[in-house]
Amino acid sequence: MSRSDQFIEQWLPIIGESVLQTFQMVGISLFFSVLIGIPLGILIVLTRPGQSLENKVIYQLSNLIINIVRSVPFIILLFFILPFTKLIVGTSIGVKGVIIPLVIYSAPYIARLMESAFLEVENGVIEAYTAMGISTRAIIWNVLLREARPSIILGLTISTVSLIGATAMAGMVGAGGLGDVAYRFGHLRHEVDVMYATVVILIILVQSIQSIGNRIAASIKKD
Amino acid sequence: MIVLENVTKEFNSKSGTVKAVKRVNIQVNKGEIHGVIGYSGAGKSTLIRCVNLLEKPTEGKVFINGVELTSLPLPKLRATRNKIGMIFQGFNLLKTATVYDNIAIPLKLLGYDKTEVKKRVEQYLEIVGLTDKHTNYPNQLSGGQKQRVAIARALAQEPEVLLSDEATSALDPETTDSILELLLKINRELGITILLITHEMNVIQKICDHVYVMEDGEIVEQDTAIKLFTNPTHPTTKKFLNTISQRNLSSSLISQLKVTGAVTRLTFVGESTGKPLLAEVSQKFNVQPNILSANIIELKNGIVGNIVVHLIGDKEQVRNAIHYLEEQGVTTEELEGQSHE
Ligand SMILES: Nc1ncnc2c1ncn2[C@@H]1O[C@H](COP(=O)(O)OP(=O)(O)OP(=O)(O)O)[C@@H](O)[C@H]1O
Ligand SMILES: [Mg+2]
């Protein structure tokens, strides 16, 4: 048996499972972050001064919350909200235990990215639709979200990549995933090959996500 | 019909209150085209945005076909806005939608069914002359074509009035003319009432029945296009008229010429444009007319001719000649040279 076959036989199940866990963590937390981040992005765009739902209090409050959360590094956030996580999902370890910190970390980030995506949509188009007597809700769906799609996709690509990074750190609280494998085996037990393998997998993962994102965005963008 | 009654709009900012529009009164009757002209910052955009309440007037009332918009609750305001089309300098189309969808999407959102949407999109793309561009995206179109799409989008709602905020300002002169032709066509064929704002006198000249000159938030002069072109009184109006026909001679030249007679601007409208009046003047009086400049301006509702003439002769004869010209329906204006130092 060659060295590489042996390596594969020994590590494939472990690494394979960790990739799956990474996907799980990224997928679930991305889902909830989008659910919070996009509406929050819309809110801060539409409540800013001069916009249709202009509201100083809501605008400044949401900005403040986003900034506060965004200024805490993920690793600190992770430990800081451990008790809260435990209260909500009953555990603070494993994939389940890390979703809440990941969402709290990622949602405000997505909100910011969405804000800049929406701000790229020409105000004039929104105005033209308002002038036609079309409701704000319909404008959100058919103008704001529609026109911002290329930037939304790019923003989500960026936040997915940053979520992958965050899940690696989540390995610290026993969440599993690639980071966990790299830390436990690669670092603590000096299995250098395992370290290399996880790094290569991460690079491939990030590269593919980025190029898929770029491609979709380019196909929607028409200018 | 569009009526603005004492419309005032103030903006409050950190640096203080800006009165962008001051007690403006406008009445555009059904089927007419009225134009507001003014320099940058005069308050034109603010004014036209007050008509469909994109800007809520601080004071005053806005009526569309007798309905007071300024007192309507939002749902009713929306319903009324369907009857007010608007086009913009920047076109404001969806970049990610085809020409077809750019017109179809608002119709769908306004609740029209599929067949009606299709019918209208095709009908109005035909009117603006873009039947072959259904599947193009805005960035594949020229500025003029984009504005046509925007016009089709506005028309597809079948509005009774159309507001135009500098719709031709981003276009070259030739494209501007073709868009103005289109606006005239929809005004004639569909009977749509149009209120437009512009900083270009040739837009007013080509399609407006009535003109308002706006400066510093106020309407400083207003009249029918013919009267305004014949007999402008406000300095700003005169400046705008100078942009389409060189009306001014240098004051030193005028001073020189005045030694031997009068320098007079003669403005002819309609009937009087046809008569050889200057020939008559030289026969009837001992006055020799020497034409210094002349031009003719075609307005929507008529023709205005402008001649600056040096009437050479003695004072008495010149005065009689001018009097005669006025009797014949010519508007005269004696030009003044340098003030005596
Ligand atoms: N939202 C606003 N807040 C504060 N001031 C404003 C606002 N909109 C317009 N103004 C001010 O009102 C005045 C008139 O502006 P407006 O845009 O109506 O001018 P305009 O005649 O359309 O000029 P232009 O030809 O450059 O478009 C300007 O002094 C402008 O700074
Ligand atoms: Mg303007």
Side-chain angles (χ1 to χ4, degrees):
Chain A
M1 222 190 211
S2 75
R3 201 175 106 77
S4 71
D5 285 345
Q6 204 184 339
F7 179 82
I8 289 174
E9 192 179 323
Q10 187 185 353
W11 293 105
L12 188 65
I14 295 170
I15 293 181
E17 203 199 332
S18 75
V19 170
L20 222 65
Q21 285 169 337
T22 296
F23 277 146
Q24 242 179 354
M25 284 188 281
V26 171
I28 298 172
S29 46
L30 185 66
F31 175 78
F32 286 109
S33 309
V34 167
L35 227 54
I36 299 168
I38 291 188
L40 195 55
I42 292 174
L43 192 72
I44 46 179
V45 167
L46 291 187
T47 55
R48 70 173 45 217
Q51 287 303 324
S52 58
L53 305 176
E54 174 169 351
N55 186 321
K56 245 190 185 139
V57 178
I58 295 181
Y59 175 67
Q60 287 178 349
L61 201 67
S62 344
N63 263 308
L64 186 70
I65 293 171
I66 291 173
N67 288 342
I68 290 175
V69 180
R70 295 256 297 123
S71 47
V72 183
F74 180 65
I75 195 82
I76 297 176
L77 190 76
L78 194 59
F79 293 115
F80 185 69
I81 61 165
L82 269 180
F84 176 68
T85 312
K86 203 156 189 175
L87 194 76
I88 299 234
V89 293
T91 176
S92 58
I93 54 162
V95 170
K96 221 171 150 190
V98 86
I99 296 297
I100 289 187
L102 281 176
V103 171
I104 292 181
Y105 167 71
S106 186
Y109 185 41
I110 290 183
R112 275 278 176 260
L113 290 167
M114 295 303 113
E115 179 190 25
S116 69
F118 297 140
L119 287 178
E120 276 172 38
V121 177
E122 258 179 84
N123 211 23
V125 190
I126 294 171
E127 216 154 60
Y129 275 69
T130 309
M132 288 187 261
I134 291 167
S135 69
T136 307
R137 175 202 286 262
I139 290 174
I140 291 174
W141 284 106
N142 295 278
V143 179
L144 206 55
L145 284 168
R146 184 203 163 89
E147 286 285 278
R149 279 175 308 164
S151 310
I152 291 175
I153 300 285
L154 288 178
L156 292 185
T157 308
I158 295 172
S159 38
T160 307
V161 169
S162 100
L163 262 176
I164 292 175
T167 59
M169 277 184 257
M172 307 283 283
V173 295
L178 282 164
D180 185 39
V181 170
Y183 178 65
R184 273 194 296 141
F185 300 101
H187 179 67
L188 296 182
R189 290 206 229 148
H190 304 291
E191 297 273 2
V192 181
D193 291 344
V194 175
M195 186 69 101
Y196 286 154
T198 53
V199 169
V200 169
I201 292 172
L202 280 170
I203 290 173
I204 294 172
L205 212 58
V206 169
Q207 281 290 346
S208 350
I209 289 171
Q210 191 64 55
S211 50
I212 292 172
N214 288 350
R215 206 162 303 166
I216 298 176
S219 77
I220 305 173
K221 206 172 165 111
K222 298 294 177 190
D223 59 323
Chain B
M1 182 163 101
I2 306 168
V3 177
L4 303 191
E5 243 178 53
N6 278 322
V7 168
T8 297
K9 176 69 189 179
E10 294 173 359
F11 292 108
N12 294 310
S13 63
K14 280 170 208 141
S15 50
T17 305
V18 180
K19 266 201 171 183
V21 175
K22 301 171 190 163
R23 303 180 69 79
V24 168
N25 290 287
I26 280 178
Q27 175 171 339
V28 192
N29 295 322
K30 183 159 175 36
E32 291 180 347
I33 304 182
H34 287 207
V36 178
I37 188 165
Y39 290 112
S40 187
K44 310 179 296 291
S45 296
T46 308
L47 175 65
I48 203 159
R49 290 159 53 81
C50 281
V51 178
N52 55 7
L53 262 63
L54 281 178
E55 235 38 283
K56 197 170 166 22
T58 316
E59 273 168 57
K61 293 176 180 171
V62 177
F63 300 87
I64 301 287
N65 293 339
V67 179
E68 193 196 330
L69 257 56
T70 24
S71 68
L72 290 181
L74 190 60
K76 286 212 175 128
L77 173 62
R78 280 191 186 131
T80 314
R81 277 176 171 164
N82 298 167
K83 294 283 143 236
I84 311 171
M86 187 166 192
I87 54 177
F88 307 82
Q89 177 171 0
F91 321 124
N92 296 345
L93 301 172
L94 295 173
K95 282 186 198 147
T96 62
T98 59
V99 165
Y100 186 97
D101 284 339
N102 259 295
I103 302 165
I105 289 171
L107 291 175
K108 280 181 204 153
L109 296 177
L110 293 172
Y112 295 102
D113 66 39
K114 255 193 173 154
T115 43
E116 179 68 13
V117 170
K118 190 166 187 302
K119 195 192 105 202
R120 288 200 187 186
V121 176
E122 279 164 6
Q123 179 186 349
Y124 290 103
L125 274 180
E126 164 112 50
I127 288 180
V128 301
L130 283 180
T131 30
D132 55 336
K133 300 282 185 210
H134 281 213
T135 56
N136 287 72
Y137 287 91
N139 78 315
Q140 300 167 321
L141 304 177
S142 70
Q145 289 170 330
K146 281 184 209 168
Q147 195 58 281
R148 283 169 191 273
V149 177
I151 291 172
R153 177 177 70 181
L155 293 181
Q157 302 170 64
E158 311 200 324
E160 280 148 29
V161 308
L162 182 70
L163 307 175
S164 162
D165 185 348
E166 304 262 10
T168 58
S169 297
L171 308 173
D172 63 57
E174 212 165 303
T175 316
T176 293
D177 282 354
S178 76
I179 294 293
L180 294 178
E181 282 295 321
L182 176 61
L183 291 179
L184 263 185
K185 177 172 127 178
I186 62 178
N187 169 252
R188 288 198 184 115
E189 292 175 10
L190 308 173
I192 294 178
T193 309
I194 301 178
L195 176 63
L196 62 84
I197 63 165
T198 181
H199 61 263
E200 294 170 321
M201 205 58 190
N202 74 316
V203 171
I204 301 282
Q205 175 202 335
K206 290 201 174 102
I207 68 171
C208 290
D209 300 296
H210 200 99
V211 193
Y212 307 81
V213 181
M214 193 167 185
E215 190 172 65
D216 207 9
E218 280 173 296
I219 303 292
V220 293
E221 184 166 9
Q222 64 152 308
D223 218 323
T224 62
I226 291 192
K227 284 201 183 130
L228 199 95
F229 275 79
T230 320
N231 208 353
T233 55
H234 196 274
T236 308
T237 314
K238 291 183 182 172
K239 270 196 238 167
F240 273 116
L241 285 174
N242 275 330
T243 61
I244 48 167
S245 61
Q246 187 49 48
R247 294 161 50 90
N248 281 351
L249 300 176
S250 73
S251 47
S252 58
L253 177 61
I254 295 173
S255 299
Q256 265 176 41
L257 294 170
K258 277 178 89 93
V259 176
T260 51
V263 181
T264 309
R265 180 193 329 277
L266 310 176
T267 307
F268 303 78
V269 193
E271 298 284 272
S272 54
T273 40
K275 292 187 206 158
L277 283 171
L278 287 180
E280 280 176 28
V281 161
S282 63
Q283 275 166 20
K284 285 198 163 116
F285 308 93
N286 189 14
V287 165
Q288 290 166 296
N290 179 24
I291 295 175
L292 301 172
S293 81
N295 63 59
I296 201 153
I297 300 166
E298 292 181 64
L299 298 170
K300 185 190 175 199
N301 303 320
I303 294 174
V304 174
N306 242 303
I307 301 178
V308 176
V309 67
H310 183 201
L311 296 169
I312 306 166
D314 72 58
K315 270 209 169 108
E316 183 68 19
Q317 290 292 325
V318 168
R319 201 177 322 131
N320 290 340
I322 291 175
H323 189 67
Y324 173 76
L325 286 166
E326 278 182 339
E327 276 176 0
Q328 300 299 311
V330 177
T331 309
T332 67
E333 180 193 355
E334 181 131 10
L335 301 186
E336 297 303 329
Q338 278 161 327
S339 45
H340 310 284
E341 282 113 303

